[in-house]
Amino acid sequence: MSRRPIVAGNWKMNGTVEATAELINALKAKTLSAVHCDLLIFPPNVFLAQAKTLAGPEMAVGAQDLSEHDSGAYTGEVSAQMLQSLGLKFVLVGHSERRQYHNESNELVAKKALQALQSGITPIVCVGESLEQREAGQVNAVISEQLDAIKSKLSLADLTKIVIAYEPVWAIGTGKTASPEQAQEVHKEIRAWLSEQSEEAANKVRILYGGSVNANNAKELLAQPDIDGGLVGGASLNADSFFDIANAIG
């Protein structure tokens, strides 16, 4: 089965109303129809409505996070239904920065993934290991534990509807990148884990690489057989570099 690649830009906590308009308009000026991938952008929550209004049909807008709760007295939280009412189709869950700085557990990430799916939103479930865990030979064990938590909350049918993003924590915002071979090795293990759940999941679920993806390393990374696109951080804040990454997919 052919999986359509995704190139997703996570803007993190960056931007203003003016900068959001400038970046989206700069992207729209590119020949987006020529890229062989789904193009997604993830602005901060306060700019989601603006981004959704500005983005054309060739660019989808997603949220960087959501609440595990339906609604209620949860100040500062944003629910799946709120994102759905904006017409959003994607949301990041379990990004390493959420896990690290907000102490999000595997179980909480799984609850958020379920909330998204129940509102018809595709969760991009982020998994990955720290440098210490990699050096201790725990990569597969750490990622399996993160994925097992997701499996415990989702039906087998729902599991086929998620996207997985592998982001080695040691390569995020550091300028370090897993080599194409290192990245492919982990993506292959994730695909094998999916295969243990069902062949449909292994065939359908798109697995993205996230970890200092840029215009220089994208082509080689995205050419690997089990890498179905990229979750791009800093390079997505520049229209030229983000487009170059998307264009690297042949």
Side-chain angles (χ1 to χ4, degrees):
M1 180 181 292
S2 177
R3 296 180 297 271
R4 184 165 170 82
I6 292 173
V7 172
N10 176 15
W11 294 6
K12 307 190 180 185
M13 196 175 72
N14 292 292
T16 60
V17 168
E18 295 77 16
T20 297
E22 188 179 328
L23 181 49
I24 292 175
N25 287 331
L27 282 169
K28 285 168 68 178
K30 306 285 184 186
T31 315
L32 300 183
S33 57
V35 300
H36 302 288
C37 64
D38 290 338
L39 212 56
L40 316 182
I41 56 170
F42 292 81
N45 282 343
V46 291
F47 306 130
L48 285 173
Q50 178 198 11
K52 188 73 173 64
T53 301
L54 288 174
E58 291 154 346
M59 198 182 338
V61 179
Q64 295 178 15
D65 187 35
L66 82 167
S67 174
E68 75 271 28
H69 303 292
D70 290 331
S71 62
Y74 301 102
T75 301
E77 294 283 277
V78 173
S79 72
Q81 292 92 326
M82 292 173 183
L83 301 181
Q84 182 192 47
S85 72
L86 279 178
L88 304 187
K89 302 294 185 190
F90 293 90
V91 63
L92 301 177
V93 297
H95 190 281
S96 63
E97 289 158 1
R98 299 292 312 173
R99 293 178 188 264
Q100 182 179 353
Y101 304 134
H102 299 272
N103 300 311
E104 292 197 359
S105 66
N106 291 341
E107 184 182 7
L108 177 60
V109 173
K111 286 179 180 176
K112 290 185 174 191
L114 180 60
Q115 281 286 340
L117 286 163
Q118 287 175 339
S119 288
I121 298 170
T122 299
I124 298 183
V125 179
C126 302
V127 299
E129 82 285 359
S130 67
L131 184 60
E132 293 75 20
Q133 289 164 334
R134 171 166 280 272
E135 289 177 342
Q138 298 171 342
V139 178
N140 292 341
V142 168
I143 291 173
S144 292
E145 196 175 306
Q146 292 168 339
L147 292 173
D148 285 343
I150 301 295
K151 182 184 74 168
S152 72
K153 298 288 182 193
L154 305 187
S155 67
L156 214 49
D158 273 346
L159 193 63
T160 67
K161 298 173 185 172
I162 69 172
V163 173
I164 295 171
Y166 166 58
E167 39 164 28
V169 179
W170 48 273
I172 296 171
T174 62
K176 295 179 182 175
T177 313
S179 69
E181 294 75 23
Q182 284 176 314
Q184 165 57 21
E185 184 183 349
V186 179
H187 279 243
K188 186 178 179 182
E189 289 294 336
I190 294 172
R191 188 85 59 204
W193 181 91
L194 287 165
S195 188
E196 289 170 11
Q197 317 315 314
S198 79
E199 279 308 311
E200 184 185 8
N203 289 330
K204 284 177 77 171
V205 173
R206 292 175 285 184
I207 310 172
L208 314 182
Y209 173 74
S212 297
V213 180
N214 58 51
N216 295 322
N217 59 32
K219 193 169 187 66
E220 205 176 350
L221 281 165
L222 303 183
Q224 301 301 311
D226 288 300
I227 298 181
D228 303 315
L231 178 58
V232 185
S236 69
L237 296 171
N238 178 284
D240 290 337
S241 63
F242 189 53
F243 179 72
D244 286 346
I245 292 167
N247 223 15
I249 296 176

